[in-house]
Amino acid sequence: MILEMYWLYYLIFLWSILSFLVMKYVHISNCIKYYLAINYIPLAFILAYRAPSVGADTWAYIEAFNYLSVTPIDGFFVESFECGYVLLNKLVYVLGGNGVDVIKIVAILSVSLLAGFFYKYSKSVVLSTVIFIGFGMMFPMMNLIRQVLAAVIVLWAMGKLSENKRTWSVILIFLASTIHVTVFPFIVFVILHPLNVKKILLAVTLGIMLVCVIEANGLFFLLDFSLLNESKYISYIGSEFDVSKEYGALVICALFCFCLFASGCYKYIYKSSNEQLLAISTLAMYISAIVILLGYKVDILGRFIYPYFLYLCILLPAFCNLKHGIGKVCVYVIVVVAAFVYFTKSLGVLRDGYIYNLGI
């Protein structure tokens, strides 16, 4: 039944694996560039030309264009939209476009920036792609379009930070924050740079204190619904985020992130502090685990995991590349199988709104 409903997503996942194997078999030169082209161009097309019914927020963003394009910018926010996203809508309006064009532009930008980042910074472009698709990070591109674009821009900010280009990093973080303000906390990585054991322990201690505060007060006071647009966010409670908790899936995910954090601390921070992007990815795994667990207290936090969990696409391939020969092949196979299982489970809790249709 799942295969009948979501066959296109399975095809995307399987193609990300088979296309590489075929190219390696026929010994194509510039294999990685061709791999990126034949995987990410179709992905951009699929996202850009999806029907408004695909993704709960797609139609809402299309409708939002009608007033964002003509509403004056007042401060940092305009009707719950950050100024950068508002400016994008206004620019499209000036050029004669519409809300559908905004969806297309965001899709193409997000996919292009992601592919470029993997090409420049990943230890394995293929494995990063398989992880990105298999561990469910593709699906938010059809729904949380502003947050995904902001998260991908922040990826580049962290890449620049790992090259000690602080100014570029800060600029990109501020740019991303004008698309979705929830990525602004990444400025802390700039403050902590370069990461080392002491700074990581400080971040861990603060994380533990945060958990204790939330546990003691019941509901995190900064995320009290009295401070939010209740009509907008209350609908998220009882969504698939809650459904998945019934099976303990998020607990397993949090433990997985904790394990990667512990391993990354030893390998990339304690033993070789020059691997700054991997150190950043390590800390991002810890933050992912904390946010996942806090989601059991504050459900809305489930929507804020994405910018941190995305660094799994960088850290896990780096771990896999520590092996050589047959050991490396075995590790790759294990990761691919795990991604397939996770992918299938993810499809099992998706709503009907994710059944794909062409339309825009």
Side-chain angles (χ1 to χ4, degrees), residues 322-339:
L322 295 177
K323 295 289 185 180
H324 300 283
I326 189 64
K328 184 175 181 178
V329 174
C330 291
V331 171
Y332 269 58
V333 170
I334 291 172
V335 171
V336 170
V337 170

Side-chain angles (χ1 to χ4, degrees), residues 59 81 133 161 196 207 257 263 327 336:
W59 180 249
F81 291 94
I133 298 171
L161 185 62
N196 55 42
C257 291
S263 302
V336 170

